[in-house]
Structures are given as C-alpha cells and as structure tokens.
C-alpha cells in the first residue's frame, strides 16, 4: 500500500460504506419491485402486457445482478481494509495508485492488470 493511500484510508472507507448502504438499498428496492411485477404478471391476461412485463422483469434482474456483484466487491474491499490488505493489486501485488482507488474504491486490480484481463476475456 502506498503511504498516500494510508492517508486516504478513512475517506476511502467512508466512500465504501456509503456505496455499500446505497447498493443495499437498491438491492432491497429491486426485490420489492420484483415481487410487485410478479403479482402484476399473475393478474395480466393480455399477451402484449405480459410481454412488456417480462421485459421489465429481465431488465430488473440484470440490474439486480449487477448491484449484487458490486455489493460483493464493496464488502470484499471493506474486509481487505479491516485486515490491512487494501490497496494492493490482486494480480501483481503492486500498490494501486490512490487516484484509482479514490475513483473506484472497491477496485482489486491496478490499471495494467485490469487491461490485461479485459484483453484476455
Ligand atoms: Zn497489477
């Protein structure tokens, strides 16, 4: 971890906690919306409305999956913070620059390793 990162840890922790609360609220809201859509689709007789509801459900699911994934990343980052492993790249072990951490507090890889992974996939 960079010394600079150490100085920014309280702020990064705040950012992560804030994002965690936000994502939890979004996941919860998505669950409620899903229940509502399910109730609606049980009532729908019209085929056209049914198709529209299905599409909305798929969009909601996609969003909810993304939120859950990000929530897991934020949780993992917070536990790395707690154990003192925060701020180092998971692939090469180099310190991730504080500017990158500030922009993406839950990031696990340095920009170089991220680019390599994106190139591979
Ligand atoms: Zn790296």
């Amino acid at each position: 971890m960079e010394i600079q990162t150490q100085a920014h840890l309280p702020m990064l922790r705040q950012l992560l906690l804030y994002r965690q609360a936000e994502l939890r609220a979004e996941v919860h809201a998505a669950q409620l919306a899903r229940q509502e859509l399910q109730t609606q689709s049980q009532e729908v007789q019209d085929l056209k409305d049914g198709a529209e509801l299905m599409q909305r459900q798929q969009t909601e699911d996609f969003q909810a999956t993304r939120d859950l994934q990000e929530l897991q990343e934020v949780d993992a980052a917070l536990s790395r913070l707690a154990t003192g492993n925060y701020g180092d790249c998971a692939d090469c072990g180099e310190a991730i620059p504080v500017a990158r951490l500030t922009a993406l507090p839950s990031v696990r890889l340095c920009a170089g390793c991220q680019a390599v992974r994106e190139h591979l996939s």
Side-chain angles (χ1 to χ4, degrees), residues 13-23:
R13 191 161 177 276
Q14 277 314 110
L15 283 174
L16 282 165
L17 287 172
Y18 182 78
R19 190 68 188 134
Q20 187 185 46
E22 209 172 46
L23 283 167

Side-chain angles (χ1 to χ4, degrees), residues 89 91-94 109-110 113:
C89 173
D91 275 3
C92 69
E94 290 288 317
L109 301 172
C110 69
C113 292

Side-chain angles (χ1 to χ4, degrees), residues 51-111:
E52 206 184 287
L53 274 174
M54 272 246 291
Q55 206 165 34
R56 263 178 60 196
Q57 223 164 36
Q58 275 167 2
T59 316
E60 294 274 351
D61 281 353
F62 179 71
Q63 182 72 39
T65 310
R66 255 190 4 197
D67 283 349
L68 269 177
Q69 261 169 9
E70 198 188 334
L71 187 56
Q72 278 167 2
E73 281 163 20
V74 169
D75 284 344
L78 279 166
S79 63
R80 287 200 301 278
L81 255 178
T83 54
N85 296 320
Y86 183 78
D88 294 333
C89 173
D91 275 3
C92 69
E94 290 288 317
I96 301 172
V98 72
R100 180 167 166 82
L101 289 170
T102 313
L104 300 159
S106 62
V107 78
R108 286 174 58 246
L109 301 172
C110 69

